[in-house]
Amino acid sequence: MLNKDIKKKIDDARDTLVGVLPLPTDQIEIITIALIYKFMDDQDEELRQVGLNEKFFTAELKEFSWQQLMSNQLSADSRVTKFINGIEAIQKAKHIPALFREIFLNAFLKFRDAKVLQRFLDLIDGFKYDHSEELGNAFEYLLKTMGAQGDNGQFRTPRNIIDFMVAVVDPTKDETILDPACGTGGFLVSAFKHILRRNTEGYETAKIELENYVAEGIPVYWGAKLSSSQRNAIEKNIAGYDNTPLMVRLARVNLYLHHFGNPQIHEYNTLNTDTRWKDKYDCILANPPFMTPKGGIDPHDKFRIQANRTEILFASYILQHLNPDGKAGFVVPEGIIFQTSGDYVQLRNWMIYEAGLWAVVSLPAQIFQPYSGVKTSIIFIDREIARQRKEILLVKVDNDGFSLNTNRNEIKENDLPEALNWLELCKTDLPRFVKSFEVNKDNAFSKKIRLLHRDEFARLDNYKATSSAYSFCKKQYEKTLKAKEELETKLEVEPDNGIKAKEKYERQVSDFYKQTGINFLPDTEDKHKEWFEENIKVAAIEYGVNLNNINKLTKELLDFIDWQRDYNLSFDKFSKSEQESKHYDLVPLGELCEIFDSIRKPIKESERVKGIFPYYGATGIVDYVNEFLFDDRFVLVGEDGAKWLSGEKTAFIAEGKFWANNHVHVLKPKKEILIDTYLVEILNQLDLSQYITGVTVPKLNQEKLKSIPIPIPPLEIQQKVVDDLKHIYKLIEGCNLLNENYNPVFEVEECWVTVSLNDVCEITSSKRIFQSEYVSSGVPFFRTKEIVELSNNEPISLELFITQERYDDIKKNFGVPEKGDILLSAVGTIGVSWLVSDDSPFYFKDGNLLWFRNFKNINSTFLKYVLDSIFNQKNNALSFGAAYNALTIVKLKQVSIPLPPIEAQEKIVKDISIDLEAIHQAKKLKEKMQLKIKFIIDKVWGR
C-alpha cells in the first residue's frame, strides 16, 4: 500500500538529490539503483538468518555489501568511492545473474558530494524488502511525481485487491499464468505466493487474511510440498508482458527477488503487436491501463472486437488468450459494465454467453487513490464453472479496509473477507451457496450480493420490447408507403415510364412482408397498428422480456429486438431500490394533464401585430405579438413529427402571458401527481416514433399524445430527477461552449514577417481517380466527409477504396500524402484541415481536398492552426472577408499569413496543444454526462 511513510521517504530522497541532480530522470535512475542495491543485500540477509549462503554480495562483491557501505567506520569520501566501485563491481561480477548486471550496466554516480550521498543513502536504508510492495510502491510513486502515470493510464493496484483477486481465481501449480500488462509484477508475485501457500503444510489454517493488509515476507519453507522440478515448472509457467522497458526490468528484478531464477517478463505491446498472439494461458490476472490515447488505439486485426478503446481491447485480448478451461480476474473501468455503445454491448454479450463470466465485483470509486478516483469493477472468468451453470454472481464492495481518499489510511470497514467467502462458496458449491444465502438474507452483507440467471442481463421490460418491435414494423411500413407514393407520382407524370419505380415498390413490399411477417399492405396506419397489436405485441414481449421465441417473429424482427439489449452488469441496476422502480405506474399522459388545444390558434405572419408577448410554435418562441391566450405555467409539446423523428427535443416550459399556435400542444399537468419539469425531461428523452402519424407530413396528434405512457414515481423522486438533470445540463452546456467557441488564436508580433502560403509550402491536389476505379476494399479513399470526421476525431465510415496497385503507381510517379502533410476541404464544408497523423496508406479526391506539402521554414502543425484560425466555419469566409463557395489552389496561394521564427512556431504549437487537450477532456466529460442522463432516465423506467 502506498502510504505516507513511503511517500515521505521518496520525497525526501528527491529533495536531497535535487541540488546535485536537477533532472527528474536522473533522480529516478539513482534512486532505483540504490533501492535494488539495498534489496539485494536484504535478500542476502534473509538467507543468512536461516543459515544459507548469500547469493549476491559474496566473493569479490562481499566488501561492497550494503552493510559495508553503511558502516560507521567509513568516512564520507570513502563511502562515495565504495558506492561508485560497488556499482561498477556489480556490473562485472560473473556470479550475479545477467538480469542484475543489465540493470547496473552503464549506471554511475553523477555527483561527488559526500554529504548529499550520505543523507541519500540513509534515506534508502529506511526501505526494507520485507515484501514485494516496497519496490513497486517506491518506483511507482517516483513515476507519479513525474506525472507519467496519468498520461499512460497506469496506476498501482493495491496489494489487498491483488491478493483478493488471486484468491478468487485460485491459480494452481500446474497452470500457466499471464499478466499482459504486468507493470512491476504485483499480480505475478501474488500468484506465486498463493501457489506456495497452497503447497505448504497447514495451508488451510494459514490462509490469506484480508481483514487488513499486513506486510509479510516469504519464509523459505513455504511450498515445502513442492519438489525442485515442480518449483522450476511454476517459475516457467508464470509470464508477464509490458511495453515499457523500465517496467520490464523492474518486474524481472521483483520476480527474481522472489526466487525466480529466470523471470519470464517480456517487453511486448499487447495491443499493437501479434508475435505472441498464439500463446494461450490457463490463468490470466491483470489490471490493464484504461487510458486511451487521443485518436484511439490502432490494433492489429486479430481481436474479436475491432475497437479502438484500450479497455475493450485488453478485455478482448484476455478472453481470446485463455485456454478452453481457462480462468481470469481482471480490473475494468465502469464503462465496461454499463456503457451502451456497440463495442461495450458486444463485449458484455460475449462474456455472458460465451467467454465464461461467472462473477462481477463492484469496487468503490477512489480505491486507486492517490493515482486515480476512477470507478472500477473486477471481472471473474471461469469457463469450466460457466459451462456447468447459468447463474452469474454480482457482489458490491463498499470498503476495502482503507479510507477512500488520497491518504488511504487503514480503517475497520472492510467487505473483502466476506466477499471472498461468498465468492468461494458460490464457486465451489452453488446449492450450498443458495441455501446459505436464504438463511442469511437479512444480514447486512447479503444486500450486497445478487445471484442472477445470465438471461436477466439481456431482459427488456414490456415497454421497451413492445416499442422497439413496433418501431421496426412501423419503419418498414413507412418505407413501403413512401415507395408507393413515389410510384404513384411517377405514373402520374410519366404514365409509360414507371418501370423502375414499380420494381422498387414491389421489392419494398416483398421486404415488408419478409421482415415483419405480415402478408398484406394495410390501408391505414391504424390498421397496421391493429395488426401489430393482434399478431406481434405478445410475441415481442415474450421474446424481449423472457427470451422465449414462440416462432411468431421474423428473424429480422428478432435481431432488431436483440439489438436493444444492453447486457448491463451494474450491481445497482439490480439493487432493491432499482427493482422497486420497476413497479412505478405507467399512466397515459391524457390522464395526467389537462390539454388546451382548442384554445390555441395561429396568426398569419402578415396579420401579426408586434408586441411584448411570446408567440410559441413547435420548437419555442417564433415571434412576439400584442395579445395573449394563456397566463400561467404550462408544458408545451411540439406536434411536428419530423422534429421528434429526427431526435429534436420539442417539449418545454412556457410561463406567464403568451400565445400558442396550432403547431404546439398546451398541457397543464396535475400538480398532485406530476411535476411539469419532470414531464418535459421524460418526453424529451423518449422515442416517440411509434406515436407519430402521417408519412408525407409526420405529426404528433392529440390522440396519440394522450396515449403516451409516463412512469409516475413519488413527487420527491420526480424532483430529484429534475435537479440531477439540471446540474448535468449545465455541465454539458459548459462543455459545448468550450467546444463550439474555441478557435486557435495567437498574438501576431510586429517583428514577424508576412508571407503568402505559396512561399512556405506547395499546394496541390491529387491525381484524378475515375468512378470506375473504385473497389469494394483496398486503400481508403477520402473525400470532404472523411476529412471532417478525422478532424473531429470521430470514427470514419469508409465507403470508397482504390486498389493497392493503383495507389503504388501514384506513390511512385506522383507521391502520396505523408505524415505531417495537411489536407484542406475545398468543397462543401470548406476550410476543414486535417494533419496526416501517420503513414497509413490512403488517397483522396481531386477538387474536394487540397494538399499542403514540402514545407519551407514552417512547422506543419503551426500551419494547420493558422488555417484553422483563417477559416470561420460559421460563414465559410476567409478572415479578410472574401467568401468563397469553393476554394482553389490559385486563391489559396495568394493568402497571406504571419510567419514567426521557428522557435516561436513551436511554442505556439505547444500552447495550443494544451488548449486542445482541455477541449478533448471537455468532450469526454460531455460523453460521460450524456451516459449519466441515460442512466437516470432508464432508472425511472426500471430498465
Side-chain angles (χ1 to χ4, degrees):
M1 187 63 59
L2 180 57
N3 55 41
K4 290 181 179 179
D5 182 52
I6 291 176
K7 283 198 231 178
K8 187 175 187 308
K9 288 177 184 176
I10 292 298
D11 289 340
D12 288 348
R14 292 193 67 206
D15 290 343
T16 298
L17 295 170
V18 71
V20 291
L21 294 175
L23 293 178
T25 50
D26 288 342
Q27 297 166 17
I28 283 183
E29 180 181 13
I30 192 61
I31 292 173
T32 302
I33 288 297
L35 283 172
I36 294 172
Y37 199 138
K38 169 68 165 59
F39 292 156
M40 289 164 64
D41 194 82
D42 284 353
Q43 183 74 6
D44 277 354
E45 179 60 26
E46 185 178 303
L47 293 173
R48 283 193 291 269
Q49 288 180 3
V50 294
L52 299 177
N53 294 327
E54 299 91 339
K55 287 187 176 181
F56 294 100
F57 293 102
T58 185
E60 70 270 22
L61 286 188
K62 195 171 187 67
E63 63 175 301
F64 299 111
S65 72
W66 187 266
Q67 294 182 25
Q68 293 285 344
L69 180 66
M70 299 301 294
S71 172
N72 292 331
Q73 297 179 5
L74 284 180
S75 66
D77 290 335
S78 297
R79 185 169 287 105
V80 171
T81 303
K82 185 174 282 290
F83 188 56
I84 293 171
N85 293 338
I87 291 173
E88 293 178 353
I90 291 172
Q91 297 176 34
K92 301 173 182 177
K94 294 182 179 179
H95 72 278
I96 293 290
L99 169 64
F100 289 88
R101 294 200 300 272
E102 291 169 4
I103 289 291
F104 282 83
L105 186 64
N106 298 323
F108 62 94
L109 187 63
K110 296 181 179 179
F111 65 91
R112 294 293 186 273
D113 190 314
K115 291 182 179 180
V116 170
L117 181 64
Q118 178 66 60
R119 290 196 298 270
F120 170 67
L121 294 180
D122 285 342
L123 290 168
I124 296 299
D125 195 49
F127 286 94
K128 304 293 182 185
Y129 197 72
D130 295 328
H131 54 82
S132 64
E133 292 300 285
E134 293 287 355
L135 180 58
N137 286 339
F139 181 72
E140 295 209 12
Y141 182 64
L142 279 173
L143 288 184
K144 185 176 186 297
T145 60
M146 292 183 66
Q149 286 190 316
D151 295 338
N152 298 328
Q154 298 171 335
F155 40 80
R156 183 157 183 75
T157 313
R159 164 75 181 278
N160 56 340
I161 299 300
I162 291 177
D163 289 346
F164 171 77
M165 292 171 61
V166 170
V168 174
V169 175
D170 190 23
T172 66
K173 62 183 176 65
D174 298 318
E175 291 176 334
T176 53
I177 302 166
L178 172 71
D179 182 345
C182 68
T184 56
F187 278 102
L188 303 179
V189 169
S190 182
F192 178 61
K193 292 165 70 174
H194 177 83
I195 294 171
L196 292 183
R197 288 191 195 94
R198 287 199 51 155
N199 291 275
T200 301
E201 290 292 344
Y203 161 75
E204 295 77 9
T205 58
K207 187 178 175 182
I208 181 172
E209 292 293 337
L210 290 168
E211 292 299 334
N212 271 314
Y213 169 81
V214 178
E216 55 180 319
I218 304 181
V220 293
Y221 55 85
W222 278 12
K225 291 183 179 180
L226 297 170
S227 66
S228 176
S229 60
Q230 286 175 321
R231 276 180 173 270
N232 292 335
I234 292 169
E235 292 176 18
K236 292 178 181 178
N237 284 343
I238 296 178
Y241 305 152
D242 202 284
N243 66 346
T244 306
L246 193 53
M247 283 291 188
V248 170
R249 297 166 82 181
L250 266 293
R252 294 190 71 191
V253 170
N254 198 7
L255 263 65
Y256 186 88
L257 295 176
H258 284 88
H259 313 289
F260 282 66
N262 184 25
Q264 300 298 304
I265 306 295
H266 308 283
E267 185 179 341
Y268 181 67
N269 190 316
T270 309
L271 304 186
N272 294 116
T273 55
D274 61 359
T275 54
R276 295 182 175 275
W277 186 262
K278 293 182 180 179
D279 296 346
K280 299 293 177 71
Y281 290 83
D282 301 315
C283 176
I284 297 180
L285 294 154
N287 177 13
F290 304 155
M291 183 68 71
T292 298
K294 188 174 181 180
I297 299 289
D298 185 21
H300 52 73
D301 60 1
K302 292 183 172 61
F303 287 93
R304 171 163 167 167
I305 300 180
Q306 284 293 303
N308 66 354
R309 301 287 304 176
T310 300
E311 64 267 28
I312 295 177
L313 290 170
F314 264 113
S316 182
Y317 184 92
I318 290 168
L319 299 180
Q320 287 180 262
H321 286 78
L322 284 175
N323 284 324
D325 290 333
K327 53 192 181 182
F330 55 100
V331 179
V332 296
E334 201 66 359
I336 291 286
I337 301 299
F338 68 82
Q339 281 200 21
T340 56
S341 60
D343 293 338
Y344 292 96
V345 174
Q346 184 183 351
L347 174 63
R348 291 194 294 270
N349 185 6
W350 177 19
M351 290 194 295
I352 290 169
Y353 286 105
E354 297 180 61
L357 178 68
W358 75 275
V360 180
V361 175
S362 173
L363 297 176
Q366 314 303 322
I367 203 167
F368 289 106
Q369 289 283 18
Y371 307 123
S372 170
V374 65
K375 174 77 174 73
T376 58
S377 291
I378 306 170
I379 298 293
F380 287 111
I381 302 291
D382 194 309
R383 291 178 172 170
E384 189 173 4
I385 289 176
R387 282 196 295 268
Q388 298 170 5
R389 64 177 67 161
K390 296 184 178 180
E391 293 81 10
I392 293 174
L393 180 65
L394 302 185
V395 179
K396 186 174 185 180
V397 170
D398 290 322
N399 290 285
D400 73 325
F402 296 88
S403 60
L404 298 173
N405 54 30
T406 55
N407 293 328
R408 294 286 278 153
N409 295 320
E410 194 170 335
I411 61 175
K412 293 181 179 179
E413 293 78 12
N414 187 5
D415 291 331
L416 291 182
E418 198 156 3
L420 179 60
N421 290 335
W422 282 106
L423 282 157
E424 289 187 332
L425 181 59
C426 183
K427 184 177 180 181
T428 57
D429 192 339
L430 184 60
R432 187 174 159 216
F433 171 91
V434 173
K435 184 176 180 180
S436 182
F437 180 77
E438 185 63 28
V439 171
N440 296 282
K441 63 182 179 181
D442 294 328
N443 290 354
F445 194 79
S446 297
K447 297 176 182 178
K448 301 178 182 181
I449 298 173
R450 296 283 180 272
L451 184 66
L452 302 168
H453 191 286
R454 66 183 63 164
D455 287 347
E456 188 69 29
F457 301 98
R459 196 182 305 281
L460 302 175
D461 58 38
N462 285 12
Y463 172 77
K464 195 166 185 179
T466 305
S467 62
S468 61
Y470 182 73
S471 174
F472 176 83
C473 293
K474 183 181 177 183
K475 185 176 181 180
Q476 305 309 315
Y477 178 60
E478 290 174 346
K479 286 172 65 177
T480 307
L481 290 184
K482 184 177 179 181
K484 184 179 180 181
E485 286 182 5
E486 290 177 355
L487 173 61
E488 291 172 348
T489 302
K490 190 75 173 177
L491 291 175
E492 185 177 337
V493 177
E494 303 177 52
D496 299 325
N497 196 23
I499 297 176
K500 288 186 177 180
K502 184 177 181 181
E503 289 176 350
K504 179 180 178 181
Y505 170 65
E506 290 174 347
R507 283 196 306 271
Q508 182 56 48
V509 170
S510 176
D511 287 344
F512 174 60
Y513 295 164
K514 176 176 178 289
Q515 293 178 10
T516 64
I518 196 172
N519 58 5
F520 71 98
L521 185 63
D523 296 334
T524 65
E525 183 183 336
D526 287 341
K527 288 185 179 180
H528 175 257
K529 187 171 184 180
E530 182 181 341
W531 171 82
F532 174 85
E533 295 279 344
E534 293 177 357
N535 297 275
I536 297 297
K537 183 175 180 179
V538 173
I541 292 174
E542 182 68 13
Y543 183 67
V545 177
N546 300 317
L547 280 75
N548 291 330
N549 181 7
I550 56 176
N551 300 318
K552 286 190 177 181
L553 304 179
T554 65
K555 180 182 182 303
E556 290 79 7
L557 194 46
L558 293 173
D559 289 344
F560 189 81
I561 293 174
D562 282 340
W563 188 72
Q564 311 303 313
R565 309 184 195 278
D566 59 14
Y567 308 99
N568 192 319
L569 292 169
S570 172
F571 179 91
D572 291 337
K573 179 177 174 62
F574 301 97
S575 66
K576 184 178 180 182
S577 60
E578 183 65 32
Q579 296 303 306
E580 288 173 349
S581 73
K582 292 179 181 295
H583 301 297
Y584 293 155
D585 291 336
L586 291 176
V587 182
L589 185 56
E591 298 178 17
L592 299 169
C593 302
E594 186 179 358
I595 300 178
F596 295 87
D597 283 10
S598 60
I599 302 177
R600 61 184 181 153
K601 58 182 179 179
I603 308 174
K604 292 182 181 179
E605 188 171 0
S606 60
E607 297 175 358
R608 294 176 202 163
V609 179
K610 296 295 181 180
I612 62 171
F613 304 116
Y615 177 83
Y616 282 101
T619 57
I621 299 172
V622 294
D623 205 346
Y624 287 87
V625 296
N626 70 340
E627 298 181 74
F628 62 89
L629 294 174
F630 301 93
D631 186 7
D632 204 343
R633 182 180 169 98
F634 295 88
V635 172
L636 304 191
V637 181
E639 69 168 19
D640 186 345
K643 299 286 186 183
W644 287 108
L645 291 173
S646 67
E648 189 168 342
K649 300 176 179 181
T650 63
F652 50 94
I653 299 289
E655 191 170 13
K657 296 178 174 64
F658 65 89
W659 192 288
N661 68 19
N662 59 324
H663 295 298
V664 61
H665 300 286
V666 182
L667 289 70
K668 185 74 171 177
K670 298 177 181 178
K671 292 183 179 180
E672 65 275 15
I673 57 173
L674 180 63
I675 297 175
D676 54 6
T677 46
Y678 169 80
L679 173 61
V680 168
E681 296 296 347
I682 292 297
L683 289 173
N684 281 331
Q685 297 296 330
L686 191 58
D687 177 8
L688 296 181
S689 59
Q690 62 178 302
Y691 302 101
I692 305 300
T693 62
V695 178
T696 306
V697 182
K699 184 178 180 180
L700 175 62
N701 63 37
Q702 186 182 126
E703 180 186 357
K704 296 294 184 182
L705 179 71
K706 289 181 177 180
S707 69
I708 297 172
I710 304 295
I712 305 298
L715 290 177
E716 60 269 19
I717 294 181
Q718 294 183 37
Q719 188 61 52
K720 186 176 187 308
V721 168
V722 172
D723 293 342
D724 289 347
L725 292 179
K726 182 187 294 185
H727 174 69
I728 293 172
Y729 290 142
K730 286 182 179 179
L731 289 174
I732 291 177
E733 182 182 1
C735 293
N736 287 338
L737 287 172
L738 188 60
N739 290 326
E740 293 168 5
N741 295 306
Y742 178 75
N743 191 34
V745 294
F746 46 87
E747 185 176 349
V748 178
E749 299 183 13
E750 292 183 3
C751 61
W752 295 357
V753 297
T754 299
V755 298
S756 67
L757 285 176
N758 190 51
D759 294 329
V760 295
C761 65
E762 177 186 354
I763 307 175
T764 184
S765 188
S766 65
K767 287 293 184 183
R768 187 174 183 185
I769 300 295
F770 295 96
Q771 189 169 356
S772 60
E773 296 184 84
Y774 297 146
V775 293
S776 59
S777 63
V779 176
F781 189 78
F782 294 165
R783 301 156 297 174
T784 296
K785 180 180 76 69
E786 286 78 16
I787 294 302
V788 170
E789 291 170 344
L790 285 165
S791 68
N792 291 329
N793 291 317
E794 299 172 355
I796 58 173
S797 49
L798 291 175
E799 298 174 0
L800 301 178
F801 302 87
I802 61 174
T803 64
Q804 183 69 46
E805 291 75 17
R806 180 70 167 117
Y807 173 81
D808 291 340
D809 178 64
I810 295 172
K811 182 177 182 180
K812 178 180 178 182
N813 296 298
F814 181 69
V816 297
E818 299 176 350
K819 182 178 180 180
D821 289 354
I822 299 172
L823 293 183
L824 182 75
S825 63
V827 175
T829 306
I830 293 174
V832 175
S833 66
W834 176 59
L835 187 73
V836 181
S837 56
D838 55 41
D839 293 319
S840 301
F842 74 90
Y843 207 53
F844 62 99
K845 187 173 179 61
D846 62 300
N848 269 215
L849 303 168
L850 299 180
W851 176 14
F852 293 68
R853 64 177 182 176
N854 296 333
F855 304 102
K856 294 172 287 187
N857 301 319
I858 193 166
N859 181 299
S860 63
T861 306
F862 171 76
L863 178 56
K864 172 186 162 44
Y865 294 153
V866 171
L867 293 172
D868 289 344
S869 67
I870 286 175
F871 289 96
N872 184 332
Q873 293 305 312
K874 293 181 180 178
N875 58 16
N876 289 328
L878 294 178
S879 60
F880 50 79
Y884 296 100
N885 292 324
L887 295 176
T888 65
I889 293 175
V890 172
K891 292 174 181 176
L892 276 174
K893 284 183 176 181
Q894 298 170 0
V895 173
S896 296
I897 65 168
L899 184 66
I902 195 70
E903 296 83 4
Q905 295 178 37
E906 291 172 351
K907 184 179 186 305
I908 290 169
V909 167
K910 182 178 180 181
D911 291 343
I912 292 178
S913 68
I914 294 172
D915 294 342
L916 293 177
E917 178 57 28
I919 299 294
H920 174 65
Q921 293 301 325
K923 289 180 179 178
K924 289 177 65 177
L925 177 60
K926 178 181 176 181
E927 292 172 0
K928 183 178 180 180
M929 291 301 102
Q930 288 170 332
L931 287 172
K932 203 165 184 178
I933 290 172
K934 183 180 185 307
F935 176 79
I936 291 171
I937 296 299
D938 282 353
K939 192 170 183 179
V940 172
W941 284 97
R943 297 169 186 161

